[in-house]
Amino acid sequence: MFVKFLFIASSLLTIVSALSMLMTKDIMHACIFLLGALMGVAGLFLTLGADFLAATQVMVYIGGVVVLMLFAVMLTGGNELNKRGLNPVPLMGNKFTFALGVFGASMFFIVVYQLLYKIFHYFHLSVVDSYESTVEKIGRLLLTDHILAFEISSVLLLGALVGAAIIARPKRN
Amino acid sequence: MMMGLTSYLLISLFLMICGIIIMIARKNIIAILLGIELILNASALNFVAYSKFVAKNFDGQIFTLFIIVVAAAEAAVGLAITIRHFQISESIHIDDATQLLA
């Protein structure tokens, strides 16, 4: 019951936030709506039984990435300057190309649906209500089966930090 | 039925479409990075849903962990490039980013 409520609330939060990100004209509001969408995805992770991932999502994305985005908006002139790039591009193409695009998209959808038909119709298992922590299992898997990817990702993070610090250094005059 | 694989895939599809539209229709570099974050989240949601309903193991969750790490690194470097570009050309419009060498 609680899981069902959580699912409905999180999916509504995700969908509404993503739509508002699409519609808004203000980049600060877009950042705040991104926060809502990431929070909704964290809730969906919880309904899937992935508690560690939900906590990581909240810590890294909401604590790190969104705050970084807000810093970048502020450092690049705040709201006024950023309004310029937010106006949508005028539509290119005519009715024929739009019809062609809709036709191609629907053909693609039909093909993908045929491919995924079995999965859609045979996996209707509901989420188990018994709670079981995934932290220990993920930790074990990370340090046994996936140790190489773990180490490479740590090197990647170090490289990204050093690279960001070097790229964004102030101008020398 | 309601909380099956299909609903998660549909939510993920919706997030993916929103991210792609944001990436295409916006000309602000930071807005484009926001769209990329949405797309990465859609793929992460797909991974977790498939690992729960189809594979029934934890490989998808570990993949999602690495997606989060890569997304954090990408956001850091992308925003550093944005700030540098703003220092050089006083603009964060993507059409003004025409030079590789500053």
Side-chain angles (χ1 to χ4, degrees), chain A residues 34-66:
Chain A
L34 176 73
L35 198 149
L38 298 177
M39 203 74 189
V41 173
L44 288 175
F45 284 164
L46 275 185
T47 63
L48 285 167
D51 53 346
F52 180 64
L53 272 185
T56 313
Q57 170 104 353
V58 170
M59 277 196 294
V60 175
Y61 266 115
I62 298 173
V65 173
V66 175

Side-chain angles (χ1 to χ4, degrees), chain A residues 11 22 24 34 38 41 47-48 57 61 81-82 85 88 119-120 123 125 137-138 141 167 169 171, chain B residues 3 5 8-9 11 22 25-28 34 37 41 52-53 58 61-62 71 79 84 86-87 92:
Chain A
S11 49
L22 205 58
T24 181
L34 176 73
L38 298 177
V41 173
T47 63
L48 285 167
Q57 170 104 353
Y61 266 115
L81 194 65
N82 286 326
I119 296 172
F120 280 169
F123 292 99
L125 309 175
K137 290 168 189 160
I138 286 182
L141 276 177
I167 290 171
R169 73 192 185 283
K171 261 186 274 190
Chain B
M3 285 172 54
L5 180 61
Y8 287 101
L9 290 186
I11 292 170
I22 288 172
R26 297 285 161 92
K27 288 284 180 176
N28 187 321
L34 294 181
E37 297 296 328
N41 258 278
K52 167 86 182 173
F53 290 108
F58 289 95
Q61 297 197 16
I62 286 175
L79 292 174
R84 186 71 181 151
F86 178 74
Q87 286 174 357
I92 58 166

Side-chain angles (χ1 to χ4, degrees), chain B residues 15-61:
Chain B
L15 272 183
M16 173 98 184
I17 289 173
C18 281
I20 288 178
I21 292 175
I22 288 172
M23 259 176 67
I24 292 173
R26 297 285 161 92
K27 288 284 180 176
N28 187 321
I29 298 177
I30 299 177
I32 291 173
L33 284 174
L34 294 181
I36 292 174
E37 297 296 328
L38 270 192
I39 293 175
L40 285 170
N41 258 278
S43 68
L45 189 57
N46 255 358
F47 267 116
V48 180
Y50 272 113
S51 83
K52 167 86 182 173
F53 290 108
V54 181
K56 296 188 178 62
N57 58 17
F58 289 95
D59 287 349
Q61 297 197 16

Side-chain angles (χ1 to χ4, degrees), chain B residues 61-82:
Chain B
Q61 297 197 16
I62 286 175
F63 229 99
T64 305
L65 213 56
F66 290 128
I67 287 176
I68 291 175
V69 170
V70 172
E74 171 259 330
V77 175
L79 292 174
I81 292 173
T82 309

